Amino acid sequence: GQQVMQIPQYQHVQEGEDFTTYCNSSTTLSNIQWYKQRPGGHPVFLIQLVKSGEVKKQKRLTFQFGEAKKNSSLHITATQTTDVGTYFCAVTPNSGYALNFGKGTSLLVTP
Amino acid sequence: ETGVTQTPRHLVMGMTNKKSLKCEQHLGHNAMYWYKQSAKKPLELMFVYSLEERVENNSVPSRFSPECPNSSHLFLHLHTLQPEDSALYLCASTQRLLDREGYNEQFFGPGTRLTVL
């Protein structure tokens, strides 16, 4: 299936600092999704990006889809302790019946 | 909260036990999934069902046996598990089977935390 590399694996920031996680593919993607999983919780859908160069914002979160549709990023401005969790990207594979999830970036925010 | 419920939330079982995990979705979706999430291999897809028909089985050991009696319910029957099977088992659903050009929001249940002794 279509694999995605997600970096970094872990990130530890001070509250108020910015955070970015990246998802990269060697092939062109039809779309990409982002999910957040809080500690002890389950993945929750955040957004889906479809168009080349698309940028979407949700409050302090900014999602980007690369012009070549091979990479995507999630940027959090001025992190808060509520942002703690693991952020996954997920892509639609060329074959198969389920999304391919990245390995996730675990974000820790200390006050 | 998400329209997908799972029971039990926690399960401890011995290697010789037989138990079942239950998932129910209240969203009117047609596709359901089982995932295994462990610290070493996050979000491994196990099974995919579409309208009660299994469409994908990702080389899962036979000690895991899924069942989908209708489009709202999904079970995972467990028998003679190993300690390495200890993990969080997540059920998920989507409105329809994967649409390569469309919208594919996946709704996850809260999971069952399984410990095999």
Side-chain angles (χ1 to χ4, degrees), chain B residues 1-113:
Chain B
E1 180 186 28
T2 64
V4 181
T5 57
Q6 288 185 246
T7 54
R9 295 294 306 276
H10 300 271
L11 178 62
V12 179
M13 59 187 289
M15 289 190 286
T16 58
N17 291 159
K18 289 185 180 181
K19 297 287 183 183
S20 295
L21 309 185
K22 179 183 176 181
C23 175
E24 183 174 0
Q25 57 95 0
H26 314 271
L27 301 167
H29 287 173
N30 290 328
M32 297 186 76
Y33 311 78
W34 277 118
Y35 288 88
K36 175 184 177 183
Q37 187 178 41
S38 56
K40 294 184 178 180
K41 293 185 180 180
L43 284 171
E44 295 177 76
L45 178 67
M46 299 176 74
F47 301 104
V48 182
Y49 276 83
S50 174
L51 294 171
E52 305 130 52
E53 181 182 342
R54 191 190 311 178
V55 297
E56 192 157 334
N57 175 351
N58 269 16
S59 302
V60 179
S62 59
R63 57 185 183 269
F64 295 92
S65 175
E67 179 189 1
C68 188
N70 55 62
S71 58
S72 298
H73 293 86
L74 188 63
F75 294 88
L76 188 62
H77 304 299
L78 317 170
H79 64 97
T80 58
L81 293 193
Q82 304 298 312
E84 59 264 30
D85 297 322
S86 298
L88 179 67
Y89 288 85
L90 290 161
C91 173
S93 71
T94 52
Q95 190 167 17
R96 63 184 68 82
L97 209 54
L98 199 64
D99 180 350
R100 303 195 194 289
E101 301 300 329
Y103 188 71
N104 296 303
E105 179 178 351
Q106 199 152 36
F107 292 79
F108 285 86
T112 295
R113 176 68 62 184

Side-chain angles (χ1 to χ4, degrees), chain A residues 70-99:
Chain A
K70 290 185 177 182
N71 53 69
S72 180
S73 64
L74 159 57
H75 178 83
I76 302 179
T77 303
T79 55
Q80 300 176 358
T81 54
T82 53
D83 296 323
V84 167
T86 301
Y87 294 84
F88 294 95
C89 61
V91 301
T92 303
N94 292 329
S95 62
Y97 298 100
L99 296 171

